[in-house]
Structures are given as C-alpha cells and as structure tokens.
Amino acid sequence: MTEPLWWQKGVIYQVYPRSYADSNGDGIGDLAGVAARLDYLVDLGVDAVWLSPIFPSPMADFGYDVADYRGIDPRFGTLADFDALRDAAHARGLKLLLDFVPNHSSSEHPWFLESRASRENPKRDWYIWRDAAPDGGPPNNWQSYFGGSAWEWDAATGQYYLHQFLKEQPELNWRNPDLRAAMLEAMRFWFDRGVDGFRIDVLWLAIKHPDFPDNPANPAWREGMQDIERLLPAHSADQPEMMEIIAAMRDVTDAYPERVLIGEIYLPIPRLVAYYGARGNGVHLPFNFHLLDATWDAAALARLIAEYEGALPAGGWPNWVLGNHDKPRVASRVGPEQAAVAMMLLLTLRGTPTLYQGDELGMPNVPIPPERVQDPQALREPDTAFNRDEVRTPMPWDASAHAGFSTVEPWLPLNPDWAERNVMAQRDDAGSMLAFTRALLQLRRAHSALSVGSWHAVSSDGAVLAYERRHGADRVLVALNLSDAPQALALPDWAVTLAPVLTTPHHDLRAEGATLLLAPNQGILLL
Ligand code: NOJ
Ligand code: CA
C-alpha cells in the first residue's frame, strides 16, 4: 500500500457553523467562534473540519441556498475571518473542508435574477425551465423533498422552474457549459484560497433525465411516509451523465495536491460505490450513510459491513457516518445506553469516519417547542415525525449562561440538560462520552491497524458484533455488546493474549482468558 493520505487515515468532524460558537453576541454561531474552538478539536483528536455552508445566503434553508459561491455571509463573518480560520486550522495541523452546493442556488443569486428576467436572457438556460403541461399544470409529476410539486410557476416569463427543495432553491442546469464552467471556477476560487476539499451537497441529484419524464409510483409507499417517497426518483436522480460532471470536478481538484471530494449521496450500496468512478475519477469518498438507518443488531450490522466492504471498487477508500445535521442523533436512535457502543463502532470500522458535532457529548435529539421551529422542511411538512432543528441546537460548551455558546439567547434552544451535558463538564470526567471519544481517537491515531488496517469479521452470533483490524503485526479486536444483557464471546486463538485497553464508559476492563465477558451495552477493544 502506498503511504495513506490524510483523508484516509484521518477523522472528519462536521461543524454546523450556525450552532458551534457565537463570537459577537447575536445568538448565531460564526467563523470567529469556530476559530476560537479549534484547540478543542485538536485536543479531541480529529484531523479535518467540514463546515456546512458559510456563503452569502438568504438562509431560506440555512445556507443551502447560496446567493454567492465566492463570499462569506456577514452573519458568519468576512473573507478575512475565513482566511484567519484557515490559517489557524492549518497552524494546528487541521484540514478545512467547505460545503459545495452545485444542485441549486438561492433564488436571490444574481444568476437566477438574470435567468428569470426573460426567456432571452443569456443565463436563462443556467437553470431548468420548462413549459407547462397541456393542462397548464407542472411539466411532470416530480415532487420536492420538502413537500409539494418540484415545479414553481413564473408568471412573468410563463414557464415553470425546477426545485427539488424549496422554491427559493432553483436547480442549476449542469448541461449548460457556461454554468458548468462558472461552478468549476467557484471550486477553484476556494482551492486557491487554501481549502482542503469539499463535501458536495446532494451530488446524486445534480443532473436530471434530459426529457423530464414522469417518475414512476413507489409500490412501497405507505401512509406516514414523506410525499417525495410516493414516487421512485428514476428520472430525477442518479443519472448516467452524473459521472462525467464529477470527473470534471475531479479534474479541477486534482490540479491541487491532496485535496478531497466527498459526495453527499443517499443511494443503495451497489449504486453508491459507482460514485468512486469507473477509473477512480469519481469523488474520493461517496458518503456512506448506511449506518444511519441500519437495524441495530449484530447480524444486520455484520451483513452491512460485509456488503459494503465487498462492493468497494479496487482502490476505493471506505467511509462511515453516524450522524449529520439532517438526521436524528445516534444517541436518540440507538438509545443512550448504546451511544458509546455506536461511537466505538464508528471509530473502529475500516475507513474514514465523519463525526457530527455534539455526538462526542452523547447529545440526543433536542425537543423544540412549536413556536421555535425554524427548519423549513418541518415547517412545510409539520406531520413528519422528525424536525432537523432537533439536531442543530447550539454546542453546549460550559455551565455559564447560554452554555458558553453565546452571550444572548441562541437561535435555537439548548439541550435541556446543558448545565451537565457540556464540554467543560465532560472534559475532566473520565467516565464521559467525551473522554471515551477522545480515547478512541487517540488509539486510532496510535495504531495503524485502526487507522488503515484491514477489517475481518470475528463473530456476529447473537448480540455481540466482534471484528478484527489488522495492519502488519498490529492486531486489534473490537467486541460490541449490542444488547442490554450480559454476553460472552469465545475469543479466537490469536486474540487470547491481547490486552483489553479500552471499554465504554462505566464498564470494567479485565483480562478473561479465552472467554470475553461483556456487560450489558459494553464495548471492549483489545490489542
Ligand atoms: C442536503 C443538506 O444536507 C440539507 O441540509 C439541505 O436541506 C439539502 N441538501 C438541500 O440543499
Ligand atoms: Ca455570531
């Protein structure tokens, strides 16, 4: 194996900038706030920070509606603040990743203002405009991920435009060469400014079928599912032309040393791995979200890991995600007793882990009173059970007013237990989730078996998931009790002489000989 690159052996940490740290007392997190907390991230032991969008935006979708691909929203700071953050990160050996949003811009982007000005405007074709159906209705049956039709009527020019999210997020037309060139230029702008890579928003949606046929009905749709799930996205997602566009993004990226592209792609594993590219010219890391809705039992997890490992193309580097700003917190999904087990899984699987801010504190979903809901998806589809605000609440730093996040009431409420569940409280508590996460990250850094070693199943019988990580003579055994009952694991011969070195909080570590006894919800790492 050639020397692993930073994004292969490293760990990525997602910062939702609005909710990380507020430096100027407006209740909204900002770049100077993130810069002031970088030492925390170094101490935690992560390698790279991915910032959700920080570009000028009307914030209809909290920054995923970009009005200028080359600036910084004044709420987050200035380009000078960005440069200072970049320098401060790099001085500490941290990489800095931005969020690139190629599928749609804000409806207030000057490009869209031009595009909607007239049918003859040179930028008309930079967005996706279509005539009405013969009955005057939308051009096809496509639905928005945020509810309702994906088409918005523009009375001034007598056509519909496409938006698979809010109507304030018109979709860009990647079939137009000028649009494509302008977007690739925006990537260069940030690479030239020293950005180490991008997470690319809804990458699998960025090009549509050229004829815009109706999507077929989804036979699996049931009451209670989202509107968008009534249809199968056969023509609105994952189109073959996508790979050529990604190759163009990759060409731009490869002109700079050691930059990384990470694609947000919610697809089944066989399709997901296609995004590595047929000739390794796709994205470096197509985000693997399959742990986010995995059935939490040993057999199902072992099957998932084996399926993913088996599907990776030659040279394709794996990655795993347990949470982000769109999905329920892992501590709520698997339960607080399993949160540390889940963290141990994330940080000991083969491949680059992405850790979502707050998960290192074991943050659960935070209930949001109805009058404080801000998530545009939840506001449009109030019946859906989950509201993204619940995972976007401010980072609780300490027990001072407003949890040290801000000097004023933050834009979203704090976790109700912030006085106890905060960074300061957990930092010096050896039994905390934070201390446990930091210990896992230290072990990962110290042992090549964990950072770059191979993965081998050991056992998934019953409630224990056990596996080996191996790199040369460095061998690690991870045993995870996914149940709330005690379990025993017969160790393989090679592991009998290993020493237990780390366990989930409030569990005992003792050498057991040939049988490893696991307490309820206990994870143990032996090396
Ligand atoms: C995915 C982002 O993660 C989500 O927050 C956003 O609402 C949609 N893409 C639209 O950009
Ligand atoms: Ca602020």
Side-chain angles (χ1 to χ4, degrees), residues 390-436:
E390 296 171 30
V391 303
R392 297 175 175 184
T393 58
M395 189 73 179
W397 291 101
D398 56 39
S400 70
H402 310 296
F405 167 79
S406 178
T407 52
V408 300
E409 177 66 25
W411 75 287
L412 279 178
L414 291 161
N415 47 308
D417 58 353
W418 62 270
E420 302 85 46
R421 189 188 302 278
N422 63 58
V423 169
M424 274 294 264
Q426 291 199 11
R427 193 157 54 189
D428 303 317
D429 172 0
S432 70
M433 185 72 169
L434 180 58
F436 175 64

Side-chain angles (χ1 to χ4, degrees), residues 22-24 26 28 30:
D22 172 21
S23 72
N24 63 347
D26 62 359
I28 295 173
D30 46 54

Side-chain angles (χ1 to χ4, degrees), residues 61 64 104 146 165 199 201-202 264 325-326 388 392:
D61 190 20
Y64 285 97
H104 45 268
F146 292 166
F165 296 92
R199 172 269 193 186
D201 191 61
V202 294
E264 187 201 20
H325 62 295
D326 293 328
R388 298 183 299 174
R392 297 175 175 184

Side-chain angles (χ1 to χ4, degrees), residues 77-307:
T78 62
L79 271 172
D81 292 327
F82 172 80
D83 290 345
L85 172 60
R86 171 206 59 204
D87 290 345
H90 287 168
R92 288 164 175 78
L94 292 170
K95 304 288 184 181
L96 188 59
L97 310 178
L98 293 187
D99 208 311
F100 186 55
V101 190
N103 179 68
H104 45 268
S105 75
S106 160
S107 54
E108 292 180 31
H109 195 296
W111 297 344
F112 189 68
L113 298 181
E114 283 191 56
S115 186
R116 78 186 311 173
S118 78
R119 291 203 192 189
E120 289 71 42
N121 188 282
K123 292 207 172 59
R124 183 67 169 181
D125 187 47
W126 284 33
Y127 291 83
I128 297 177
W129 293 96
R130 281 285 172 289
D131 289 337
D135 67 356
N140 66 25
N141 68 351
W142 295 3
Q143 296 286 301
S144 160
Y145 283 84
F146 292 166
S149 170
W151 296 95
E152 180 72 10
W153 176 247
D154 180 57
T157 59
Q159 281 189 312
Y160 283 91
Y161 67 84
L162 181 69
H163 62 89
Q164 297 192 75
F165 296 92
L166 299 173
K167 67 178 178 356
E168 291 82 5
Q169 294 167 296
E171 307 233 344
L172 292 159
N173 178 15
W174 277 81
R175 293 180 191 273
N176 180 293
D178 297 331
L179 174 277
R180 193 185 286 208
M183 291 300 281
L184 296 178
E185 241 351 277
M187 294 183 94
R188 281 192 199 96
F189 174 86
W190 292 107
F191 282 139
D192 287 338
R193 239 186 159 87
V195 159
D196 298 292
F198 290 103
R199 172 269 193 186
I200 310 176
D201 191 61
V202 294
L203 183 60
W204 85 113
L205 303 184
I207 197 155
K208 339 307 166 189
H209 191 292
D211 303 329
F212 295 87
D214 274 352
N215 275 330
N218 176 7
W221 191 85
R222 293 177 313 282
E223 209 58 56
M225 287 167 72
Q226 280 182 284
D227 263 7
I228 181 86
E229 295 172 289
R230 287 174 188 271
L231 303 175
L232 296 172
H235 307 300
S236 52
D238 193 25
Q239 299 296 296
E241 295 92 327
M242 202 54 241
M243 298 321 296
E244 180 223 329
I245 291 169
I246 296 172
M249 295 177 177
R250 182 65 189 262
D251 280 347
V252 169
T253 308
D254 286 347
Y256 300 81
E258 291 198 20
R259 305 301 208 268
V260 68
L261 292 181
I262 307 172
E264 187 201 20
I265 301 161
Y266 284 94
L267 285 175
I269 287 172
R271 283 306 307 152
L272 174 67
V273 296
Y275 284 74
Y276 284 101
R279 293 175 305 286
N281 59 345
V283 290
H284 301 89
L285 300 174
F287 256 151
N288 168 10
F289 294 126
H290 289 275
L291 281 178
L292 288 171
D293 51 15
T295 307
W296 209 251
D297 73 50
L301 289 173
R303 267 198 307 277
L304 165 62
I305 299 163
E307 189 201 345

Side-chain angles (χ1 to χ4, degrees), residues 64-80:
Y64 285 97
D65 48 325
V66 179
D68 173 3
Y69 286 99
R70 299 163 176 232
I72 301 293
D73 191 277
R75 277 159 286 211
F76 294 131
T78 62
L79 271 172

